[in-house]
Amino acid sequence: MAAPRTLIRNAQVVTALSSERGDVLIQGERIVAAGAGLSAPGATIVDAAGLLLLPGLIDAHVHVREPGAVEKEDWTSATRAALAGGVTTIFDMPNNATPTVTAERVAEKLDIAARGAVCDYGVYLGATSKNVGLAARLGGEIAGLKIYLGSTTGPLLTDDWRLLYDHLRSTPEVIPVAVHAEDEQCLRAFQDTSASDHNRNRPPICAELAVHHVITAARAAGRGAHIAHASTAREVSLIQQARQEGIPMTCEVCPHHLFLTSEDALLLGGWGKVNPPLREPGEVQALWEQLACVDIVATDHAPHRSEEKDHAYEQAPSGFSGLETLLPLMFLAVREGRLSLQHLVRLTSTGPANLFHTHRKGRITPGYDADLVLVDPAATRVIRAGALQTKPNDTPFRGWHLPGRVIAVWRRGERVLTDGILTVEPGTGKPVALATL
Ligand code: DOR
Ligand code: ZN
């Protein structure tokens, strides 16, 4: 029997390069045609007039928490949150209670993901002093290598410059090396336990120093590195300078560093605590001005139990969920004239697909996976506690009115979300095919 076909008609089809009215034909798991005036007898027809069709988003920075802390999030709840937010692929970070730092841990996590995930996924390996060279051996099994230069949630910390160099040197260029760039020594020096201002406890200088060091190590190692959650304009311009010198550095920014400031953090208490911290308003404005030099936007979805985040600043853990607010926040930026739709797709879909060398993802092109998101740009939604898929069920964006309602999501050709209702079974997400060695 031929694979079922779906014809999405009259959508505004947005890609990294264009935004044009047109049709997209899906057959089985793939896009088979894209253009104007397509016909497909017998296909299910979706009338998308007035709606935007985007490639499914790829979030390269997600903390699923399973194994270890399923009360915060598990593979099913995280990936349901992803699909609800139009994200069809996630890459999971290694800082679990028992971190993902050996071949066995990677295999165990992939096994858990295979049983629980509802969107497609990859997992990072965490760098330690004992696993130099392992990323090369794991090759296409992992999405990338993650190095923590400053302490944050979980036990991973590699605050040793020789080790950073050795990991960069031993990891083939095709495997991204993502770095949490806050310098541990600097963090310790600035830690001011009397201040309940996270931005003062972990100031921009610690992030800038770390980025500077990573660039120096990358230059010496003869490869690039990816700076996770750049939170200051200075970090982005250092990366831009390194690129001009021929060092293939890349960087990501998170929506919360664009939409929230250190002033908001003071009001948000525990809910405003995140590493790196929310920055001063002038710094946030400068980061917006550097967006043209940023490779990807990723959420750093880092769920903790609501009860933990309800604590005062000092007691609360760092991080919060972001998968369900990513696309609406980026649409807000579009509505405010800060971003074009094509740029949005470059940052959230095509950019991460290129950076992580995903096979068949991040484009609306025949032969690619039919990972698609249909969005009503005119409809707004209020972010409410209790109405989210993520386990904490709350976010610092609670009460925000955001545009860009997700109407439908296709994951490899299957319609998995209709008008806010998810119809997916755990275990239907698949590992993403990544560039192998
Ligand atoms: O705020 C954060 N939370 N930053 C990180 O680097 C880690 C994350 C977490 O895993 O909770
Ligand atoms: Zn993170």
Side-chain angles (χ1 to χ4, degrees), residues 239-379:
I239 290 156
Q240 179 66 1
Q241 279 167 30
R243 270 205 286 252
Q244 278 159 3
E245 211 197 294
I247 307 166
M249 296 292 300
T250 55
C251 70
E252 88 199 11
V253 297
C254 303
H256 49 265
H257 289 127
L258 293 169
F259 285 96
L260 296 172
T261 69
S262 51
E263 291 178 0
D264 297 314
L266 296 179
L267 301 173
L268 285 162
W271 282 98
K273 190 171 177 184
V274 62
N275 297 333
L278 304 175
R279 303 301 192 190
E280 284 177 8
E283 187 65 76
V284 171
Q285 182 52 35
L287 189 60
W288 274 109
E289 284 160 19
Q290 286 282 10
L291 204 58
C293 301
V294 167
D295 298 273
I296 66 172
V297 165
T299 61
D300 197 2
H301 178 90
H304 294 283
R305 287 187 306 116
S306 289
E307 300 74 36
E308 297 173 286
K309 294 298 284 179
D310 285 341
H311 286 141
Y313 162 77
E314 288 80 3
Q315 286 83 42
S318 296
F320 38 72
S321 302
L323 279 162
E324 288 161 271
T325 44
L326 165 65
L327 189 53
L329 285 167
M330 297 320 283
F331 264 102
L332 179 59
V334 171
R335 204 177 64 182
E336 290 176 342
R338 295 165 179 261
L339 193 69
S340 70
L341 284 168
Q342 292 94 315
H343 196 185
L344 186 160
V345 168
R346 270 206 297 284
L347 289 169
T348 56
S349 204
T350 316
N354 290 340
L355 193 66
F356 288 83
H357 312 288
T358 58
H359 196 42
R360 297 193 303 258
K361 297 222 178 268
R363 281 168 212 267
I364 302 184
T365 302
Y368 274 66
D369 283 350
D371 294 336
L372 298 164
V373 190
L374 198 58
V375 182
D376 183 346

Side-chain angles (χ1 to χ4, degrees), residues 61 63 65 95 146 148 152-153 180 229 273-276 300 302-304 318-320:
H61 195 147
H63 299 266
R65 308 293 192 207
N95 63 330
K146 178 74 183 281
Y148 287 88
T152 182
T153 307
H180 181 117
H229 41 50
K273 190 171 177 184
V274 62
N275 297 333
D300 197 2
H304 294 283
S318 296
F320 38 72

Side-chain angles (χ1 to χ4, degrees), residues 149-161:
L149 297 182
S151 28
T152 182
T153 307
L156 289 177
L157 181 63
T158 309
D159 58 343
D160 173 325
W161 297 115

Side-chain angles (χ1 to χ4, degrees), residues 7-12 21-23 45-53 374-375 410:
L7 180 60
I8 304 168
R9 283 167 79 173
N10 292 319
Q12 190 70 24
R21 216 175 135 121
D23 308 336
I45 305 290
V46 176
D47 177 14
L51 304 176
L52 303 173
L53 189 69
L374 198 58
V375 182
W410 287 264

